[in-house]
Amino acid sequence: MKKIFKNDSWIKPYLKKYKGLLALVFFLGVITFICSIGLMFTAGYLISRSAQRPYNILLVFVPVIITEGFGIFRPVFKYLERINSHNWVLKVTSNLRKRLYETLEKQAMFLDQKFKTGDLLSVLADDIDHLENLYLRTIFPLIVAYLTGIILIIILGIVSWVYALFMLFTFSLILLVIPLISVAVRGASLEYQKTLLHDSYNNLTDATLGIGDWMISGRKKGFLQQTTKNDTKLSASTFKTHRFEWNRDFVIKLIFGIMVVGTLIWTNFALTSSARLADYVAAFVLGVFPLVDAFAPVSQAMEEWPMYRDSVIRLNQLSDDDTTEPNVPQTDLSPSEFKNIEMKNVTFHYQGDSLDLLKNVSLKVLKGQKTAIIGPSGVGKTTLLQLLLGALTPTNGEVTINETVDVAALQNNRSNWFSVLDQKPFLFKTSVLNNVRIGNENATDTQVEQALADVGMKNFVNSLPNGIYTDVSENGVRFSGGQRQRLALARILLQDNPIVLLDEPTVGLDPITENDLIKTLEQVLKNKTVIWVTHHLQGLDTMNQIIFLEDGVIKMAGNPSSLYKNNPRFRQLTAMDQGLPFKK
């Protein structure tokens, strides 16, 4: 645990940030239990004293007032503790969610490469909730219980060191020994259940995304088996968990019973020498019972730590893997001042990986130029785009705008500099109008319609039941691949940014649709600076320069005509791309 929290950046900072409110919550929690104990203690004394039929009501007047006071203040303090604890947790979790989405936003260009869909679902759906529960169900109960126990032992030590030692022994069993046993026994089962649940996430998302292929193959039974194969194991493990918890809770209640019997024995020896002292026998015995509420949750709180630990580790790794440069001073350079973007001797590898994806790569793209980056799959083309975008920071070298401004200095204003069209643009379940307007939320309906006309979608959209107000359905299933690309391109036109990055936008399209989309790209982006990553050469004859990347190194570069004329390998690649025999 110490190792996990040593470099933690998701829990400790917020414990410090809201430490005043946190201290208030702990104080209110302890006072609540003190009032509960005080209520039962004075009630026991009042019952014993009243049973002796005092000749004057004034003899029990003070205990009555104290009992009423504890009875009033206990729910008041409990209410204040709940209000402030939830206020504290909401403050923290709002910060955590904002930070999570900001962290993921920086890596949005390559989330699909960094995470499995199920992993990402776990991060978004579980991890922040786990941290919220860590505070509410682990940190709060543990601290309040230990503080309450320490205070009681000190007070009892003043009354009787023998009784204090007995209570210290029982407190230790409930607050230390049993919780540690719970962690040891239940930690493994919780880990196992979490692994099964995580695997179920992956199986479910994988099977659901491929449900079309399952249906085509007629393997309905296989689909159900794939998505439910862990259910039996999870059910059996959950049953064992419940059985262990029942046994553990029974032992805890048994110890509380021993505590009550021990208190009776001690009071029989220590408080029966006089009638006045005997009035406190019931007080001490009844005062034990509120400890159940304070101490019983401790074992469950500690045993759930392994479940929360994985979330803490995963979120900290997410921060560690964020390779953007957070402390580069931001520039106020306007996109209208753009002249060029350049990579200077850039080498890159991911943290913890010694393999360089890019090695000493240099290139320069002037304003208005069109550059294509080609090469086989897995050679670092998309990584190069991420570096140009500022989503990754070079291991060595630099990426600059106008030769002097680090691209990392544009991160706060990146959406005004770069537009990106990737392989699978996402369409949200809303109208065509709103999907296109994502590019510029201030765009008018007329401007949206003009952008749709520029990308060749006007007639099709007008033919829809409600025109631009037609719902595109979830993930844009109403539209073909080429149409989704054109809608995404319309977004880019509304953005009107100086630099457009194309990450293989024609992948998966049929040849006719691909050719039409390429012509549209050439037409609507003719005044933009375009950097186009692709794996084949169709439509690249209008590029100002072509860069061939292989094994992380630029193997050839130049304009299409000179490369075709002077480079035999480029001619070979062109022939292969067109399906023609190659002649040297």
Side-chain angles (χ1 to χ4, degrees):
M1 185 181 294
K2 183 178 179 181
K3 182 179 179 181
I4 293 173
F5 282 106
K6 182 178 181 181
N7 299 313
D8 169 68
S9 62
W10 285 83
I11 295 180
K12 290 194 302 184
Y14 302 105
L15 292 175
K16 294 178 181 178
K17 184 176 181 180
Y18 301 109
K19 59 184 178 182
L21 183 57
L22 185 62
L24 175 62
V25 170
F26 291 150
F27 172 76
L28 291 171
V30 172
I31 290 297
T32 298
F33 285 119
I34 295 297
C35 285
S36 296
I37 296 169
L39 176 62
M40 296 298 289
F41 186 90
T42 55
Y45 175 83
L46 183 60
I47 292 170
S48 296
R49 187 70 176 134
S50 299
Q52 297 179 23
R53 297 183 179 182
Y55 64 88
N56 193 324
I57 189 64
L58 294 178
L59 293 176
V60 293
F61 180 73
V62 173
V64 168
I65 295 300
I66 294 175
T67 302
E68 289 180 349
F70 281 130
I72 292 171
F73 284 117
R74 186 182 69 86
V76 169
F77 285 129
K78 184 64 175 178
Y79 176 76
L80 292 175
E81 184 268 333
R82 287 293 177 89
I83 287 291
N84 284 280
S85 63
H86 282 79
N87 180 32
W88 188 90
V89 167
L90 288 174
K91 284 178 180 289
V92 171
T93 52
S94 64
N95 281 273
L96 291 173
R97 291 188 189 280
K98 180 181 178 182
R99 182 180 172 192
L100 173 62
Y101 294 133
E102 286 176 346
T103 303
L104 292 175
E105 181 188 21
K106 295 176 183 178
Q107 306 176 44
M109 281 284 292
F110 49 103
L111 281 178
D112 58 339
Q113 301 173 33
K114 197 176 187 64
F115 298 99
K116 295 178 181 178
T117 306
D119 291 338
L120 188 58
L121 183 61
S122 292
V123 170
L124 295 175
D126 289 341
D127 286 349
I128 297 300
D129 287 338
H130 282 171
L131 290 193
E132 181 177 343
N133 288 334
L134 173 62
Y135 293 121
L136 287 173
R137 298 175 58 175
T138 298
I139 294 178
F140 288 166
L142 285 177
I143 299 298
V144 170
Y146 289 140
L147 288 176
T148 303
I150 292 170
I151 292 172
L152 289 177
I153 292 300
I154 293 173
I155 294 174
L156 293 176
I158 297 173
V159 175
S160 168
W161 66 268
V162 174
Y163 183 55
L165 286 176
F166 168 73
M167 295 300 279
L168 177 62
F169 173 74
T170 55
F171 284 8
S172 299
L173 290 177
I174 296 173
L175 298 179
L176 292 175
V177 177
I178 293 179
L180 290 176
I181 293 174
S182 292
V183 170
V185 175
R186 285 276 290 113
S189 63
L190 280 172
E191 186 73 23
Y192 177 65
Q193 291 172 17
K194 188 171 180 64
T195 300
L196 289 176
L197 187 60
H198 178 71
D199 188 47
S200 294
Y201 272 140
N202 285 328
N203 290 335
L204 179 61
T205 51
D206 184 60
T208 302
L209 291 174
I211 192 170
D213 295 300
W214 285 101
M215 293 175 64
I216 292 171
S217 65
R219 295 182 58 198
K220 177 181 178 180
K221 185 177 180 180
F223 173 80
L224 294 175
Q225 289 176 343
Q226 177 74 7
T227 55
T228 62
K229 67 178 184 179
N230 289 330
D231 290 358
T232 302
K233 296 178 182 178
L234 191 59
S235 178
S237 179
T238 302
F239 174 77
K240 291 180 180 178
T241 296
H242 290 160
R243 185 171 61 185
F244 172 81
E245 289 176 345
W246 187 92
N247 291 330
R248 180 203 61 206
D249 292 343
F250 175 78
V251 171
I252 291 175
K253 288 179 174 61
L254 183 62
I255 294 174
F256 275 113
I258 294 172
M259 198 182 299
V260 171
V261 173
T263 302
L264 280 170
I265 294 173
W266 172 75
T267 54
N268 183 59
F269 284 102
L271 302 178
T272 56
S273 58
S274 68
R276 186 175 180 181
L277 286 176
D279 291 338
Y280 289 96
V281 172
F284 276 95
V285 173
L286 291 180
V288 172
F289 287 94
L291 297 178
V292 176
D293 293 331
F295 295 169
V298 170
S299 292
Q300 182 175 356
M302 286 191 67
E303 74 179 18
E304 290 182 353
W305 162 245
M307 180 171 61
Y308 305 142
R309 178 191 59 206
D310 289 346
S311 295
V312 175
I313 293 173
R314 183 160 48 235
L315 288 169
N316 279 296
Q317 286 177 341
L318 184 64
S319 298
D320 294 339
D321 291 341
D322 178 12
T323 53
T324 57
E325 183 62 53
N327 297 318
V328 174
Q330 298 297 289
T331 180
D332 57 359
L333 184 69
S334 170
S336 62
E337 301 176 70
F338 170 69
K339 297 178 182 177
N340 61 71
I341 183 169
E342 183 176 9
M343 299 184 76
K344 302 175 183 177
N345 303 315
V346 168
T347 297
F348 177 80
H349 61 254
Y350 287 101
Q351 292 181 4
D353 189 352
S354 60
L355 178 64
D356 290 332
L357 297 180
L358 296 176
K359 305 169 187 175
N360 200 35
V361 171
S362 296
L363 63 89
K364 187 173 185 178
V365 182
L366 303 178
K367 180 179 180 180
Q369 280 191 338
K370 311 292 185 290
T371 297
I373 301 170
I374 63 174
S377 299
V379 297
K381 302 189 298 297
T382 300
T383 300
L384 190 147
L385 273 193
Q386 294 162 7
L387 288 161
L388 290 171
L389 184 65
L392 296 175
T393 301
T395 304
N396 292 304
E398 59 180 349
V399 182
T400 61
I401 298 288
N402 295 353
E403 300 180 356
T404 57
V405 179
D406 193 318
V407 72
L410 304 176
Q411 296 313 295
N412 290 348
N413 197 30
R414 187 166 64 186
S415 61
N416 293 325
W417 279 85
F418 297 93
S419 295
V420 180
L421 181 61
D422 58 18
Q423 301 173 17
K424 296 179 180 179
F426 189 84
L427 298 183
F428 296 90
K429 192 179 184 304
T430 182
S431 65
V432 174
L433 175 69
N434 290 336
N435 267 284
V436 176
R437 191 176 271 157
I438 289 173
N440 180 359
E441 62 182 18
N442 297 316
T444 65
D445 290 5
T446 302
Q447 290 172 318
V448 172
E449 290 173 345
Q450 183 59 52
L452 289 169
D454 291 340
V455 299
M457 286 290 287
K458 180 179 180 180
N459 292 335
F460 176 80
V461 171
N462 287 340
S463 70
L464 296 174
N466 298 310
I468 61 173
Y469 303 102
T470 302
D471 194 289
V472 303
S473 300
E474 188 172 355
N475 201 18
V477 294
R478 183 187 291 270
F479 298 92
S480 67
Q483 290 168 338
R484 286 198 291 268
Q485 292 288 10
R486 290 176 184 273
L487 289 176
L489 183 57
R491 293 174 181 170
I492 289 175
L493 296 185
L494 287 182
Q495 279 185 298
D496 196 25
N497 291 339
I499 306 171
V500 178
L501 307 179
L502 306 177
D503 188 7
E504 303 197 73
T506 61
V507 167
L509 302 181
D510 63 85
I512 296 176
T513 303
E514 179 182 16
N515 188 59
D516 290 343
L517 180 60
I518 289 173
K519 289 180 179 179
T520 302
L521 289 170
E522 292 173 356
Q523 179 180 355
V524 300
L525 300 178
K526 59 185 177 181
N527 296 321
K528 302 292 184 182
T529 302
V530 177
I531 303 173
W532 184 0
V533 162
T534 184
H535 64 282
H536 63 86
L537 280 64
Q538 183 177 356
L540 302 189
D541 52 325
T542 60
M543 295 289 107
N544 297 106
Q545 64 174 331
I546 294 176
I547 294 172
F548 183 80
L549 196 64
E550 189 174 41
D551 297 327
V553 177
I554 295 178
K555 290 296 180 72
M556 61 177 111
N559 63 66
S561 58
S562 64
L563 283 175
Y564 191 83
K565 180 179 179 180
N566 301 318
N567 194 307
R569 188 177 183 189
F570 185 78
R571 289 198 298 272
Q572 181 183 16
L573 292 172
T574 302
M576 291 172 61
D577 190 66
Q578 297 174 353
L580 301 174
F582 172 64
K583 296 180 181 180
K584 295 184 179 180

